[in-house]
């Protein structure tokens, strides 16, 4: 009989831990780069963890056992009681080290992965509803003129929730009304932007809404000199993108301001303008180009 078969064979070295480590590295890089890279890293880490666990389980199952000829087979021993088996015999050192390494890796992976996954998934479960704001009858917005509408975005928060929007009635685009509604939040650090131009008409109050006409040649920020044209495109100073805008709807001849969104730039003007829209982003954050890859992932709002 081949005596070499009487030896126990431990499983060979596995490459799956390397794949797991690569997945964790990709995930960590993704925390700086983008949620897509985080997801790719998480998938790689999970897949290689599964393969690693499967490998260990198989390796233990493949340990070769000695098959002896019947005449050489020793008399069967009585099965020892579990309490009679020493702990180190039940859990050999190599198995203990493999399982503890795997467990530790899983804990570290979970600590790194779960917050990132939370940031990715939580917004879908958080209340994302944006409170729409009625800013008065459409007739209060003269054609092709800017009105500054000042309103409370959340009356329960008091004056800190006071917002201003530059609203221009562009007339009709086909059968749909067209409005340009630009946020006054500077795209540099968030200071309130002002219209560069004189007022026209008198201030009008509609409930909690204040309306004032302006004839701006653009918009300017008093904090660091950021300048924008009448479409909100950055023309000078430190802002990194165009001014944010608001979506809108017209219901019962009233204009309603909806969710804000960010804009990289605008081509054209008025109703015909091509607006390059992006997810609502913080001031100072690039929304396109290579710089946008270098900005950390935003926590859910
Ligand atoms: S906050 Fe507007 S230019 Fe700095």
């Amino acid at each position: 009989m081949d005596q070499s078969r009487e030896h126990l064979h431990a499983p060979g070295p596995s490459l799956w831990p390397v794949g797991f480590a690569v997945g964790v590295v990709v995930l960590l890089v993704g925390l700086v780069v983008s949620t897509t890279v985080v997801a790719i890293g998480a998938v790689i880490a999970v897949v290689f963890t599964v393969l690693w666990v499967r490998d260990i389980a198989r390796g233990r199952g493949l340990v070769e056992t000695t098959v002896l000829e019947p005449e050489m087979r020793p008399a069967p021993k009585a099965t020892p009681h579990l309490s009679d088996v020493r702990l180190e015999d039940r859990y050999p050192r190599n198995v203990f080290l493999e399982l503890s390494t795997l467990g530790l890796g899983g804990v570290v992976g979970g600590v790194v992965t779960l917050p990132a996954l939370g940031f990715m998934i939580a917004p879908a479960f958080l209340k994302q509803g944006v409170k729409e704001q009625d800013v008065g009858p459409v007739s209060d917005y003269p054609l092709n003129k800017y009105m500054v509408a000042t309103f409370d975005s959340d009356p329960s928060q008091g004056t800190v929730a006071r917002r201003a929007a530059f609203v221009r009635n562009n007339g009709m685009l086909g059968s749909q009304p067209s409005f340009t509604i630009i946020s006054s939040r500077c795209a540099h650090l968030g200071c309130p932007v002002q219209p560069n131009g004189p007022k026209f008409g008198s201030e009008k109050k509609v409930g909690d809404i204040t309306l004032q006409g302006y004839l701006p040649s653009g918009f300017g920020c008093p904090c660091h000199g950021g300048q924008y044209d009448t479409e909100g495109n950055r023309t000078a100073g430190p802002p990194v993108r165009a001014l944010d805008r608001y979506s809108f709807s017209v219901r019962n001849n009233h204009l309603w301001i909806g969710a804000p969104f960010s804009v990289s730039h605008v081509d054209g003007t008025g109703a015909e303008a091509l607006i390059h829209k992006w997810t609502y982003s913080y001031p100072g954050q690039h929304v396109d180009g290579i710089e946008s890859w270098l900005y950390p992932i935003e926590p859910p709002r």
Side-chain angles (χ1 to χ4, degrees):
M1 191 191 68
D2 183 3
Q3 294 300 311
S4 66
R5 287 175 61 80
E6 294 182 15
H7 296 295
L8 295 180
H9 294 269
S14 170
L15 287 177
W16 305 140
V18 177
F20 171 75
V22 169
V24 172
V25 170
V26 172
L27 190 149
L28 290 173
V29 171
L31 286 177
V32 179
V33 173
S34 78
T35 50
T36 309
V37 181
V38 170
I40 292 171
V43 168
I44 293 174
V46 169
V47 166
F48 278 95
T49 302
V50 170
L51 291 171
W52 191 4
V53 171
R54 197 189 62 167
D55 214 26
I56 290 174
R58 274 194 186 165
R60 295 178 68 190
L62 284 175
V63 169
E64 293 187 24
T65 53
T66 304
V67 179
L68 300 178
E69 295 300 323
E71 63 273 16
M72 298 177 65
R73 192 174 299 154
K77 293 180 187 167
T79 307
H81 191 270
L82 196 59
S83 58
D84 297 334
V85 181
R86 294 186 310 163
L87 191 64
E88 52 267 41
D89 291 337
R90 273 190 277 161
Y91 299 102
R93 182 178 295 184
N94 64 328
V95 173
F96 172 76
L97 285 176
E98 269 187 297
L99 291 179
S100 56
T101 305
L102 193 59
L104 198 60
V107 170
V108 172
V111 167
V112 172
T113 310
L114 290 179
L117 285 178
F119 282 145
M120 290 164 56
I121 297 169
F125 298 96
L126 295 176
K127 208 173 179 187
Q128 296 288 299
V130 173
K131 191 169 177 293
E132 287 188 293
Q133 181 71 50
D134 180 355
V135 288
V138 169
S139 55
D140 283 341
Y141 296 87
L143 204 57
N144 297 323
K145 296 270 196 315
Y146 265 113
M147 301 294 287
V148 179
T150 311
F151 55 92
D152 289 329
S153 61
D154 185 353
S156 65
Q157 293 186 9
T159 52
V160 294
R162 202 80 180 143
R163 298 282 183 272
F166 310 128
V167 184
R168 184 182 62 201
N169 183 350
N170 300 321
M172 300 295 285
L173 178 63
S175 60
Q176 299 293 322
S178 168
F179 283 85
T180 296
I181 306 180
I182 295 178
S183 165
S184 67
R185 187 183 71 158
C186 183
H188 177 220
L189 294 178
C191 283
V193 166
Q194 310 293 325
N196 296 334
K199 294 179 183 176
F200 74 88
S202 51
E203 187 179 275
K204 186 172 183 181
K205 272 196 171 288
V206 186
D208 291 338
I209 316 297
T210 305
L211 290 179
Q212 174 64 62
Y214 275 87
L215 299 169
S217 59
F219 304 99
C221 180
C223 290
H224 313 103
Q227 296 295 319
Y228 306 88
D229 67 16
T230 51
E231 295 301 319
N233 283 313
R234 173 199 169 273
T235 55
V240 298
R241 59 174 197 261
L243 288 169
D244 298 333
R245 292 195 176 204
Y246 289 98
S247 59
F248 70 91
S249 59
V250 174
R251 304 202 294 269
N252 300 323
N253 279 325
H254 273 232
L255 178 63
W256 289 75
I257 288 181
F261 58 91
S262 289
V263 176
S264 57
H265 63 284
V266 178
D267 294 321
T269 59
E272 304 291 339
L274 177 60
I275 303 159
H276 297 268
K277 297 181 178 181
W278 298 86
T279 311
Y280 190 50
S281 304
Y282 289 113
Q285 182 175 358
H286 291 266
V287 291
D288 62 351
I290 188 70
E291 297 95 337
S292 65
W293 281 75
L294 303 176
Y295 205 88
I297 294 172
E298 290 180 28
R301 293 166 194 277

